[in-house]
Amino acid sequence: MNGGKRLLATLLAIFMLLAGAGCGQQPAPASSAQDTTYTIGDPTGDYGFPSPFAHYSRGPGYVRMSMIFDTLLWKDANGYVPALADSWEYLAAENAYIFQLNNKALWHDNRKVTVDDVVFTFEYLKKYPYQTSNLSMIKSVQAAGNNAVKISLSRVHAPFLDQVAGTIPILPQHIWQNVTDPAQFRQKEALIGSGPFQLADYNKEQGSYLYQPFASYYQGKPKFNQIKFVKMSTEMAAAALKQKQIDMAQIPAELVKPLEQSGLKILTMPHDWVAKLMINHQKDPLASIEFRQALACAIDRQALIDTTLRGQGLKGSPGLLPFDNEWYNPALDNVYKYSPEAAATLLSKLGYSKRGSYWEKNGTILELELLVSPGSGLAGSPGERQGEFVKSQLEQLGIKVNLRALEGKTLDSLINDGKYDLAINGHGGLGSDPDYLTSIITGKSFQSAKYQTNDKLNKLLAQQASTMDKHLRKELFNQIQSEFANAVPALPLYYPTWYYAHSNKTTLFFTKQGLGSGAPIPLNKMSFVK
């Protein structure tokens, strides 16, 4: 069987499986006037059961959940837009927000979305926190007149709209009020939301998702009778795009022009995703700032991009934010230039001496383990090629490196548990409100450096969150980036340049500040509604 026929057979088998299985109502039949199915090719596959508490915490998991559950407000390409709240107002004198709810919003079982549901959601999340959001600044949530909710804060919190009101999925009280183990709640009722789509099928093994529209959606009936996420390699996705068997996928840079010439539209993602060298700074010798600085000097980040990404990316800034981010600190432009000589000087000051190929101290060779994943299949995501490059650079310096490749979720887990020396991993979110740096510097997730011992940095992070003036926040974030860069608890290696190709069935766009708390994926659910 030739490649084209094999591709077609594979796609047909996947689509037939998706169309034939389901939970709840079956999707409405497609109109003969147009193709009302929108299919997304995705090399990463499964991101968990798409309920608020069971989806995987990376951005694609949030996207899959967001199709089903709405937030108080949402974002489009230009900023905040109404969702369950028709309007909102900040009461500066009271440090409180008033949200006026949309009186047409319904749950998928056709019960009305009420103020009680919103109040319940925030009370419930005190017991069972939502995985990506900090609600510690909320003092109270209560009804405020006719169909309105008042959320009072205990402290000023500049990113509240972005990270709370625009991220937290609102829950139906009548479904969740007796659920005491939300992560294990997998019954069909767990997927009753107020969003534009309902889940028709989820296949964990195949990494596929099938959605059908909620015809009574308060912002208008969705455009498509089916939304499909189908797992396929980047190479297969490019061919399927040309043959109009899928509508959207990430593509490698070399296919941008050919696919554009074939009539597809191309989106170039802002550099909101970062690949980092995670450093376990809680164990020796990595606990030494000078040692971590030596690692930073020993890795040629631009050569890494040129060699392993064909130049498709920006060099990592030690302050975390990329050069094209409006919050970037330009004073960091020349920090940690590639210099094996500077790295060797730092190691010598720490008492290491070169014996043959490797540095030694007290008769022990300097040896570290570097963890990587085989790669997610996304162009530019870190994998073994990047791991081999970093290993080569550190061994040229004289540090013995043992490279170990692990499945992505296993790697995330080992980082989260602190069971590693070095690891290459990545995540999105850098385009969101810059308070996101708090979670990836001092937070508890595998995406975080978990660097909590720097009092100056902690104070700066707290101060920026309580500052509403943007110019003052910018100065604080300049200091935050400088302080982080000096300490190097993790080292950004690069920000990949990602491309997406899509059909003309609907208009896709990158959401300002990212979906939810910063997912940089051009799959905003409103592209499939309005």
Side-chain angles (χ1 to χ4, degrees):
M1 183 181 289
N2 65 36
K5 289 182 178 179
R6 184 164 53 249
L7 168 64
L8 181 58
T10 301
L11 289 171
L12 286 174
I14 293 171
F15 292 173
M16 287 175 67
L17 174 64
L18 286 173
C23 58
Q25 296 178 344
Q26 290 299 310
S31 166
S32 59
Q34 61 174 336
D35 183 355
T36 57
T37 295
Y38 196 94
T39 305
I40 299 148
D42 183 353
T44 58
D46 176 52
Y47 271 91
F49 186 75
S51 79
F53 296 92
H55 70 82
Y56 196 46
S57 61
R58 288 188 177 274
Y62 184 88
V63 169
R64 286 154 173 75
M65 182 276 297
S66 73
M67 296 285 184
I68 301 170
F69 290 85
D70 271 4
T71 51
L72 286 173
L73 55 88
W74 196 237
K75 289 176 283 188
D76 64 12
N78 300 311
Y80 300 122
V81 294
L84 287 174
D86 262 343
S87 61
W88 54 92
E89 179 185 5
Y90 178 58
L91 308 177
E94 300 180 52
N95 191 24
Y97 289 85
I98 298 286
F99 295 92
Q100 188 69 43
L101 301 187
N102 186 306
N103 60 16
K104 295 181 180 179
L106 299 174
W107 298 111
H108 293 156
D109 58 5
N110 290 312
R111 295 179 62 159
K112 185 178 176 60
V113 178
T114 68
V115 168
D116 290 341
D117 291 313
V118 178
V119 173
F120 165 78
T121 295
F122 286 95
E123 290 297 324
Y124 191 81
L125 294 179
K126 287 181 181 179
K127 293 182 181 179
Y128 311 105
Y130 182 62
Q131 52 191 321
T132 62
S133 291
N134 169 24
L135 304 182
S136 63
M137 79 298 298
I138 295 180
K139 181 167 64 177
S140 65
V141 182
Q142 57 192 17
N146 184 30
N147 207 34
V149 176
K150 182 178 183 180
I151 302 181
S152 300
L153 307 184
S154 58
R155 61 180 186 272
V156 173
H157 191 66
F160 178 81
L161 291 179
D162 186 77
Q163 297 186 355
V164 179
T167 296
I168 293 293
I170 301 301
L171 307 172
Q173 180 177 6
H174 64 283
I175 299 293
W176 291 86
Q177 59 189 347
N178 296 319
V179 176
T180 57
D181 191 357
Q184 297 305 315
F185 181 35
R186 306 291 176 94
Q187 284 76 15
K188 63 180 182 180
E189 290 81 10
L191 298 178
I192 292 177
S194 60
F197 292 94
Q198 298 172 271
L199 189 71
D201 185 71
Y202 160 56
N203 189 306
K204 180 178 178 65
E205 289 70 30
Q206 294 190 8
S208 60
Y209 297 75
L210 175 63
Y211 298 86
Q212 65 183 32
F214 179 45
S216 300
Y217 187 54
Y218 62 97
Q219 298 202 65
K221 183 178 178 180
K223 296 177 183 179
F224 298 98
N225 284 342
Q226 292 184 337
I227 302 289
K228 295 180 179 180
F229 288 82
V230 180
K231 183 178 181 180
M232 62 175 61
S233 69
T234 302
E235 294 77 12
M236 181 180 284
L241 281 163
K242 280 188 175 181
Q243 297 176 33
K244 299 184 179 181
Q245 293 166 335
I246 64 172
D247 296 291
M248 183 269 193
Q250 189 188 359
I251 59 170
E254 62 269 21
L255 292 181
V256 167
K257 285 187 178 179
L259 290 178
E260 194 169 33
Q261 290 169 353
S262 72
L264 291 158
K265 297 182 178 180
I266 306 297
L267 288 171
T268 303
M269 194 183 87
H271 294 95
D272 295 346
W273 199 96
V274 60
K276 294 188 295 192
L277 180 68
M278 306 296 289
I279 304 172
N280 193 344
H281 52 80
Q282 298 183 28
K283 62 187 294 188
D284 290 327
L286 302 161
S288 163
I289 288 179
E290 291 80 7
F291 189 92
R292 300 197 297 269
Q293 291 173 337
L295 294 179
C297 293
I299 299 171
D300 188 338
R301 286 163 281 148
Q302 186 59 54
L304 187 156
I305 294 168
D306 296 339
T307 303
T308 70
L309 302 178
R310 300 181 182 180
Q312 295 296 316
L314 293 181
K315 184 174 71 173
S317 165
L320 290 171
L321 295 177
F323 307 105
D324 58 354
N325 187 293
E326 65 174 314
W327 298 88
Y328 171 70
N329 180 359
L332 300 180
D333 282 351
N334 296 312
V335 175
Y336 303 127
K337 284 187 172 181
Y338 176 55
S339 175
E341 297 78 15
T345 298
L346 286 165
L347 291 178
S348 295
K349 288 181 178 179
L350 291 171
Y352 290 94
S353 57
K354 197 77 172 288
R355 297 286 186 271
S357 298
Y358 299 115
W359 293 90
E360 295 182 0
K361 190 175 185 180
N362 300 324
T364 301
I365 289 176
L366 180 52
E367 184 174 4
L368 298 171
E369 183 177 62
L370 173 62
L371 305 183
V372 297
S373 70
S376 67
L378 295 172
S381 62
E384 290 183 79
R385 289 190 69 198
Q386 288 73 32
E388 290 286 359
F389 183 91
V390 171
K391 169 183 165 74
S392 173
Q393 295 256 286
L394 294 181
E395 292 210 326
Q396 286 177 37
L397 174 65
I399 300 175
K400 183 177 174 64
V401 176
N402 300 311
L403 188 67
R404 184 155 65 111
L406 301 163
E407 188 272 333
K409 291 180 182 178
T410 302
L411 177 61
D412 289 347
S413 178
L414 289 177
I415 294 172
N416 199 50
D417 295 339
K419 297 177 180 178
Y420 73 104
D421 295 333
L422 303 173
I424 301 179
N425 209 0
H427 59 81
L430 298 184
S432 65
D433 184 281
D435 183 69
Y436 181 68
L437 294 190
T438 302
S439 67
I440 62 172
I441 293 174
T442 64
K444 298 179 180 180
S445 80
F446 60 83
Q447 299 175 350
S448 173
K450 298 185 179 181
Y451 186 59
Q452 302 162 348
T453 57
N454 186 314
D455 290 340
K456 180 179 179 180
L457 189 53
N458 291 339
K459 288 177 182 177
L460 287 167
L461 288 167
Q463 189 177 353
Q464 65 76 24
S466 62
T467 302
M468 300 295 278
D469 182 273
K470 184 173 180 178
H471 295 291
L472 182 53
R473 282 189 92 200
K474 179 70 169 68
E475 289 303 314
L476 292 169
F477 275 108
N478 283 345
Q479 296 179 57
I480 287 166
Q481 292 171 76
S482 293
E483 196 67 27
F484 186 88
N486 180 66
V488 210
L491 178 68
L493 297 172
Y494 62 87
Y495 314 97
T497 303
W498 280 351
Y499 303 94
Y500 293 85
H502 65 100
S503 68
N504 61 4
K505 288 183 184 177
T506 192
T507 301
L508 300 184
F509 57 87
F510 287 104
T511 301
K512 186 173 183 179
Q513 296 190 172
L515 294 165
S517 57
I521 301 170
L523 288 173
N524 190 310
K525 59 190 170 187
M526 300 316 294
S527 289
F528 308 112
V529 177
K530 296 183 176 181

